[in-house]
Amino acid sequence: MSIPFAVRKIGHAVIFVSDIERSRRFYTEVLGFQVSDIYDGSMMPGGMVFLRCNGDHHCLALVGDKGDAANGKSLHHIAFELATIDEVFRARDHLVAHGTKITFNGRRRAGCQVAVEFLDPDGHHLELYWGLDQVGSDGRARPWEEWRQKTTLEEAARIAPPGQDTTIHDAALRARIEAATDRPA
């Protein structure tokens, strides 16, 4: 069986925590992670802290307890990096062809990665993504005004944040996308 994409690495994990401030202090003060971005409760119930240990915008994110006791010590999702945006489109097609439940496709906010999110057979949330922002030695993450959240892969490819090259290189894939949207990809 030929798979039309290749997972390059485990990109990030997102976990629920019972006390987001306590966990933020542990991961930053004890383990040395750095904060890239923070969502307040209006952007993510319970709040969210994006942490990095290298140039990736985040390798770990913490989601705070929103009053749901089952939330305390569980996995939110695991993400796997793909090499190209073309592979994200092919991955979505492949997952759909195999009856996988897709929960999101497009671009989220902080990190600006183009992604397809889905459930495995046990209901674990997984993400295949490309284009996660990199944070330079100055420690500055992309400002929220540049995030360009989109709810389809096609829109994410068409409307990119500054500096993100979302050119579809596979001519057949590009033609299919253009025909479906009646606009250049």
Side-chain angles (χ1 to χ4, degrees):
M1 166 162 60
S2 176
I3 298 177
F5 59 91
V7 171
R8 300 295 176 202
K9 70 177 184 178
I10 295 176
H12 61 267
V14 180
I15 58 174
F16 288 110
V17 297
S18 58
D19 182 329
I20 199 163
E21 280 307 307
R22 181 184 66 196
S23 293
R24 181 197 54 77
R25 285 191 309 273
F26 174 80
Y27 282 99
T28 58
E29 296 171 12
V30 177
L31 295 181
F33 286 79
Q34 296 175 318
V35 174
S36 294
D37 274 302
I38 297 175
Y39 286 174
D40 64 19
S42 70
M43 294 179 78
M44 169 66 86
M48 190 168 185
V49 176
F50 294 87
L51 301 165
R52 68 182 187 280
C53 63
N54 56 31
D56 288 355
H57 178 272
H58 59 281
C59 62
L60 177 66
L62 313 173
V63 177
D65 184 359
K66 59 183 188 290
D68 177 359
N71 197 5
K73 295 179 186 151
S74 61
L75 177 69
H76 183 279
H77 77 270
I78 298 174
F80 304 100
E81 183 181 70
L82 303 180
T84 68
I85 192 171
D86 295 45
E87 285 191 335
V88 178
F89 279 89
R90 289 195 295 266
R92 181 187 62 185
D93 295 346
H94 181 76
L95 292 167
V96 168
H98 284 81
T100 305
K101 180 173 174 53
I102 306 295
T103 59
F104 175 83
N105 73 110
R107 181 184 302 102
R108 293 283 189 192
R109 297 172 288 206
C112 293
Q113 69 271 25
V114 175
V116 58
E117 299 172 13
F118 55 98
L119 302 178
D120 78 359
D122 291 308
H124 296 111
H125 288 258
L126 303 175
E127 174 184 350
L128 294 171
Y129 73 90
W130 163 87
L132 183 69
D133 277 347
Q134 297 296 297
V135 177
S137 60
D138 62 3
R140 290 184 300 156
R142 180 188 298 277
W144 66 267
E145 298 89 10
E146 295 182 1
W147 287 351
R148 309 292 188 274
Q149 180 172 339
K150 299 297 169 196
T151 57
T152 69
L153 291 182
E154 291 76 12
E155 286 292 308
R158 214 176 7 268
I159 303 167
Q164 187 181 69
D165 181 1
T166 56
T167 302
I168 305 297
H169 294 284
D170 178 305
L173 178 59
R174 188 173 56 248
R176 191 186 90 215
I177 294 166
E178 289 174 357
T181 61
D182 199 28
R183 289 161 55 183

